[in-house]
Amino acid sequence: MTSVVPARDTRVSLNAAQREAVEHFEGPLLVLAGAGSGKTRVLTARIARLIEHHGVAPAHILAVTFTNKAAGEMRARVAYLLGEEPSGMWIGTFHSIGARMLRREAPLVGRTPAFTIYDEDDSLAVIRRIMDRQKISPKQFAPRGLRAAISDAKNALVMPAEYERLAMDPHARAAASVYHELEATLRESNAVDFDDLLLLPVRVLRENPARLAEYRQRFLFVLVDEYQDTNRAQYEFVTLLSGEHGNVAVVGDDDQSIYGWRGADIRNILDFEKDFPNARVVRLEENYRSLPPILDVANVVISGNQERRGKTLRPTRSGGERVTAVGALDERDEAEWVAEEIEARLTTERDLARRDVAILYRTNAQSRALEEALRRRGLPYRIIGAVRFYDRREIRDLMSYLKLVANPADDEAFARAVAVPRRGLGDTTLDTLAGVARRARVSRLEASRREELLGELRPAARQALRDFAAMIDRYRGRAQDASVDELLRELIQEIRYADHLRAEGPEGAERLENVQELVDGAAEVVADEGGELGLTPLDHFLQRASLIADVDRDDPNADAISMMTLHNAKGLEFPVVFITGLEEGLFPLSRAHDEPSMLEEERRLFYVGITRAERKLYLVHARSRRRNGEMLPSIPSSFLAPIPREMLEERSTIRLRATGRSVLLTTPSARRPGSPVRRVSADDIDVSASQLAPSFVKGARVRHPRFGSGTIAELGGTGRDTKVTIDFDDETIGRKRLVVAYAGLEREDD
């Protein structure tokens, strides 16, 4: 291999700021790398230059990042630049580097080098055992919630004794009691949990000065990627290793710090010069990803934050379409419009593939309507970073109840439903019941009803099974004519499923949103398709849900539209991006307005979403959205307000334009502080494209496309959420309750 040539060739392709960061040798360096500014190129070129130009041995270099994918890419690029693998250099994630260090230092933390790393399920099992020993009730304190609290403490470097002193409420005191015993229990099993891979290396370095000195001599140059995402333990690890020689180069973007909710501290990057006073600061502002109209919007949006170093992204390409801001009627209309627009672009742009399109949203619960809209059009999709809506644990829990109500012989549904939430029935009891049912050749639900089959079980277990069976039978009777959303609401309340999820801590809150989305979706399904003869509302709902859940699993490399939360989009890029649900209370989340730092993190998350787009960006918001079973009005996100009108192409869906004589334009320009509310009369609406809905009154004669003629018996709700109860002339159909917006009704007296 010829020396210095690879590094010299790399430098030729660098811009001035990138070259400054690569050529910096000794001393601290902070690289503020804007989105799409080529930070990976800078990191790898810098490593290659240290080795080729300055003669630094690879074994003296430590490079740390956050994902295995990023670490693998970094290693491959460095090997390409050098013409060979950098033998002896440590490149990896914080957790993999921590594990590697702990293998070497295992005796210092009471382990052997063969220690086991526990995953989440293993960790929960340990916590449950400790809770059992300490007589801490899992009904009062969910093991998952206690684990989350202990995880937060470890990542903040809060040790058990300190945590115990700080514990002020019953949940914190329960977590402190478990945390106090956890380390000894793990040590006895020669195991560590995932958080220990950060905590224990810091302990080794703090408590063993000789070992710290050796590691500082070993790693003379430390490089850290995504520094804005470091938590307390990661920050301490970096500063301990590099604090003496100061040869630390950190690369990150304070404008993309979006993980404060899991312990990341933006002050680590904002205060870098306080830790390293002689640091050189380099800003990478040339963007190689997005076209100018997208970057113009990104720069305006992020300028609203106060807690930032300040930089402006500059495009390296010219041209491009304006960003499109779209108003929709509700989340269903939003989803239909997005699917239709994707279909249109795929048809007209031959160079655009489905894999080039991404749909982003703030919460996982928003995926349901979007998934259904894509499926109706036969557009394949894949969800990144999350399971499909109907495969999520909390949805599967509740669906198991509905399946059992619809089909009492479904033993698989019984096994899941009877176990969640726990009702005092252990695995031994349920195994015994399964054996009894098998021998009697009846379903498990039927066996639960029959006292003569339960003699092997203790009285409390027999009563719990009888109560469960009676509950299912009661809902089976209700399901003959009740709507599915009503059934679900009653069921969730009766089994106290919301309390069950809340006990899990922060993760439970998002699961609860998914549960509400299931209820909202159930309210739409039957009304949407006008009902289907021979099926109860519950049958119809389960059939529809099964078809969606049974879509073939998408290959990660398949030509499919990508769907994900904005958090999961970080680090990715797509030619065409839709950001949906841009409404106050949803994005930003309503609670963010109570805490300035959280509001700024929400704005950074929006900025991350914007900068994923390469050539076209859509910003979509709905005029109303179903929340807690009600269709509630929405206003566009406050994040849209500062964007100048000339930067946007403003559009609205056909259904929004057809909502009445006075339509409030849901566009950012209509809501700027100090600007008057702008209304459009019916004369400005394209009525030819969307006829206004007829009015309905009690006693009116109407015709349904499937059920025929009938008379309106009851009328309720307003706007698109208006519902009618109709007595149809055909006695086999009888009385039906329908949503006017979906039913396709016509007045017979018009």
Side-chain angles (χ1 to χ4, degrees):
M1 163 180 103
T2 57
S3 63
V4 308
V5 171
R8 186 173 65 241
D9 285 346
T10 300
R11 290 171 60 213
V12 169
S13 66
L14 300 176
N15 63 43
Q18 291 173 334
R19 188 176 299 113
E20 181 183 356
V22 169
E23 291 180 348
H24 177 79
F25 181 36
E26 294 180 305
L29 171 68
L30 169 61
V31 180
L32 294 170
S37 63
K39 70 179 178 65
T40 304
R41 178 189 297 180
V42 167
L43 277 168
T44 53
R46 177 171 170 76
I47 292 171
R49 183 169 173 81
L50 286 173
I51 296 170
E52 287 285 333
H53 184 78
H54 296 291
V56 177
H60 286 316
I61 298 174
L62 171 66
V64 192
T65 187
F66 272 80
T67 67
N68 290 313
K69 178 183 177 183
E73 183 178 352
M74 191 184 300
R75 180 179 294 278
R77 288 200 189 188
V78 170
Y80 173 77
L81 293 175
L82 294 175
E84 62 182 8
E85 286 287 338
S87 177
M89 185 172 75
W90 285 24
I91 299 181
T93 65
F94 275 100
H95 290 89
S96 67
I97 295 294
R100 189 170 180 178
M101 184 178 287
L102 284 180
R103 298 288 180 197
R104 293 174 168 227
E105 312 300 340
L108 296 178
V109 292
R111 273 78 165 177
T112 74
F115 64 78
T116 299
I117 300 173
Y118 278 175
D119 62 17
E120 183 177 355
D121 288 342
D122 296 328
S123 298
L124 280 172
V126 172
I127 286 172
R128 289 190 181 101
R129 287 205 308 272
I130 295 173
M131 291 175 67
D132 187 55
R133 287 199 296 266
Q134 296 185 359
K135 303 294 189 288
I136 297 174
S137 169
K139 292 182 179 178
Q140 185 178 5
F141 302 108
R144 196 177 298 274
L146 297 187
R147 180 184 177 278
I150 294 169
S151 175
D152 289 345
K154 288 187 174 187
N155 284 298
L157 297 180
V158 177
M159 300 302 174
E162 181 183 2
Y163 191 86
E164 198 164 13
R165 286 196 305 272
L166 297 173
M168 302 300 294
D169 59 79
H171 189 274
R173 286 194 286 271
S177 181
V178 173
Y179 188 17
H180 183 78
E181 192 176 332
L182 180 60
E183 167 61 13
T185 303
L186 290 171
R187 198 165 54 241
E188 289 169 5
S189 302
N190 193 32
V192 299
D193 64 23
F194 200 63
D195 300 308
D196 287 331
L197 299 178
L198 300 177
L199 173 68
L200 294 181
V202 171
R203 272 188 52 197
V204 168
L205 297 176
R206 277 180 171 179
E207 298 171 5
N208 301 274
R211 301 302 295 133
L212 174 59
E214 289 179 25
Y215 278 108
R216 283 177 170 173
Q217 285 300 309
R218 167 70 189 270
F219 300 124
L220 296 176
F221 289 86
V222 178
L223 298 93
V224 185
D225 192 13
E226 304 285 7
Y227 192 65
Q228 79 280 349
D229 292 334
T230 51
N231 60 28
R232 178 69 191 181
Q234 291 157 340
Y235 163 84
E236 191 77 9
F237 182 74
V238 171
T239 53
L240 279 168
L241 286 176
S242 55
E244 186 174 68
H245 53 67
N247 295 328
V248 55
V250 303
V251 181
D253 183 2
D254 49 311
D255 290 334
Q256 295 188 73
S257 178
I258 59 173
Y259 296 114
W261 52 277
R262 69 182 190 196
D265 188 352
I266 193 174
R267 304 306 312 180
N268 293 346
I269 193 167
L270 294 179
D271 295 341
F272 185 77
E273 292 101 319
K274 292 182 180 179
D275 298 316
F276 301 93
N278 299 321
R280 178 181 291 187
V281 179
V282 177
R283 286 174 168 81
L284 304 184
E285 298 178 307
E286 291 189 47
N287 178 283
Y288 295 89
R289 176 187 300 154
S290 305
L291 291 173
I294 296 168
L295 295 184
D296 288 342
V297 170
N299 287 325
V300 167
V301 166
I302 201 59
S303 66
N305 273 7
Q306 302 299 314
E307 290 286 301
R308 63 189 296 257
R309 303 294 298 251
K311 63 181 173 303
T312 301
L313 296 180
R314 299 189 301 271
T316 56
R317 298 187 289 162
S318 60
E321 301 177 39
R322 280 189 299 169
V323 172
T324 299
V326 183
L329 185 62
D330 54 23
E331 73 269 22
R332 181 188 175 85
D333 188 34
E334 171 189 63
E336 291 293 339
W337 186 90
V338 168
E340 184 178 333
E341 182 71 6
I342 292 172
E343 200 169 45
R345 290 199 82 111
L346 290 172
T347 300
T348 58
E349 299 175 33
R350 296 301 180 187
D351 64 332
L352 188 72
R354 288 185 288 257
R355 67 169 63 90
D356 295 329
V357 180
I359 305 172
L360 311 182
Y361 35 80
R362 179 61 182 85
T363 66
N364 277 315
Q366 291 168 253
S367 75
R368 181 193 60 80
L370 292 160
E371 286 187 67
E372 292 183 358
L374 293 176
R375 176 160 172 74
R376 275 193 288 271
R377 280 179 167 74
L379 292 170
Y381 63 89
R382 63 192 181 103
I383 295 184
I384 296 176
V387 294
R388 295 174 187 274
F389 183 83
Y390 287 103
D391 287 343
R392 293 167 186 158
R393 169 166 59 85
E394 62 277 14
I395 303 304
R396 291 173 66 88
D397 286 346
L398 293 174
M399 292 292 283
S400 69
Y401 278 89
L402 296 183
K403 289 177 181 178
L404 190 59
V405 168
N407 177 16
D410 189 339
D411 281 345
E412 291 301 317
F414 177 94
R416 188 175 189 109
V418 79
V420 181
R422 286 284 181 181
R423 41 179 52 85
L425 298 169
D427 291 342
T428 301
T429 297
L430 294 176
D431 288 344
T432 301
L433 176 69
V436 167
R438 191 165 50 250
R439 290 192 297 273
R441 296 186 176 181
V442 296
S443 71
R444 297 180 195 181
L445 183 64
E446 175 63 23
S448 300
R449 298 189 189 99
R450 293 166 56 172
E451 181 71 25
E452 73 273 15
L453 296 179
L454 304 179
E456 300 177 36
L457 304 179
R458 53 190 175 84
R462 294 201 297 270
Q463 187 61 50
L465 287 170
R466 285 196 298 270
D467 291 345
F468 177 76
M471 179 183 70
I472 297 299
D473 290 342
R474 188 170 67 256
Y475 280 98
R476 184 164 174 76
R478 290 272 291 117
Q480 296 307 305
D481 54 12
S483 65
V484 184
D485 55 323
E486 290 173 359
L487 285 178
L488 273 169
R489 286 193 190 92
E490 293 173 16
L491 177 65
I492 290 165
Q493 183 173 358
E494 180 164 354
I495 66 175
R496 301 181 64 185
Y497 194 68
D499 294 340
H500 169 72
L501 291 179
R502 289 191 190 100
E504 295 184 359
E507 182 184 352
E510 183 166 346
R511 293 190 183 279
L512 200 53
E513 291 181 12
N514 291 334
V515 167
Q516 187 56 56
E517 185 67 15
L518 178 69
V519 176
D520 291 345
E524 297 176 1
V525 169
V526 177
D528 173 26
E529 299 186 3
E532 184 172 335
L533 297 177
L535 294 180
T536 66
L538 178 57
D539 293 330
H540 186 86
F541 175 74
L542 291 174
Q543 175 177 293
R544 170 81 170 271
S546 296
L547 290 173
I548 293 174
D550 288 342
V551 178
D552 292 338
R553 294 290 180 234
D554 294 311
D555 186 287
N557 298 315
D559 186 18
I561 296 159
S562 296
M563 296 175 58
M564 70 201 82
T565 64
L566 284 134
H567 281 99
N568 283 314
K570 187 163 179 289
L572 303 177
E573 56 189 46
F574 301 88
V576 179
V577 170
F578 294 79
I579 302 179
T580 60
L582 277 163
E583 299 129 39
E584 280 296 290
L586 181 58
F587 192 25
L589 297 174
S590 55
R591 61 181 181 272
H593 287 285
D594 299 327
E595 189 177 337
S597 62
M598 184 178 179
L599 185 61
E600 293 215 343
E601 181 159 317
E602 289 281 290
R603 189 178 284 109
R604 291 193 294 268
L605 186 59
F606 184 32
Y607 174 80
V608 165
I610 292 170
T611 54
R612 299 311 94 195
E614 296 174 358
R615 70 189 199 209
K616 179 62 182 180
L617 173 66
Y618 295 89
L619 307 176
V620 193
H621 54 91
R623 185 181 179 186
S624 60
R625 192 171 291 270
R626 193 177 291 274
R627 294 290 187 92
N628 299 318
E630 294 183 70
M631 190 65 76
L632 301 176
S634 302
I635 61 172
S637 170
S638 55
F639 291 159
L640 297 172
I643 304 173
R645 184 172 187 176
E646 59 270 17
M647 288 187 182
L648 300 174
E649 175 206 13
E650 298 177 343
R651 296 169 64 180
S652 57
T653 66
I654 291 175
R655 295 181 74 178
L656 179 60
R657 295 199 303 270
T659 52
R661 292 188 59 82
S662 183
V663 180
L664 179 63
L665 286 186
T666 49
T667 60
S669 57
R671 300 186 306 98
R672 272 199 220 121
S675 65
V677 173
R678 180 165 167 261
R679 294 184 178 271
V680 176
S681 71
D683 295 335
D684 296 321
I685 298 173
D686 181 8
V687 180
S688 64
S690 54
Q691 297 298 321
L692 300 179
S695 59
F696 297 98
V697 294
K698 187 174 180 179
R701 291 285 296 171
V702 294
R703 171 171 289 278
H704 184 274
R706 180 176 296 176
F707 302 141
S709 299
T711 303
I712 295 179
E714 296 176 9
L715 191 72
T718 59
R720 183 176 177 274
D721 209 28
T722 301
K723 296 179 181 178
V724 289
T725 301
I726 302 172
D727 290 326
F728 286 99
D729 298 345
D730 188 335
E731 294 181 358
T732 62
I733 297 174
R735 174 171 285 198
K736 295 281 185 185
R737 192 162 184 247
L738 305 172
V739 177
V740 171
Y742 302 143
L745 297 173
E746 296 179 357
R747 285 279 295 264
E748 287 198 334
D749 52 1
D750 283 352

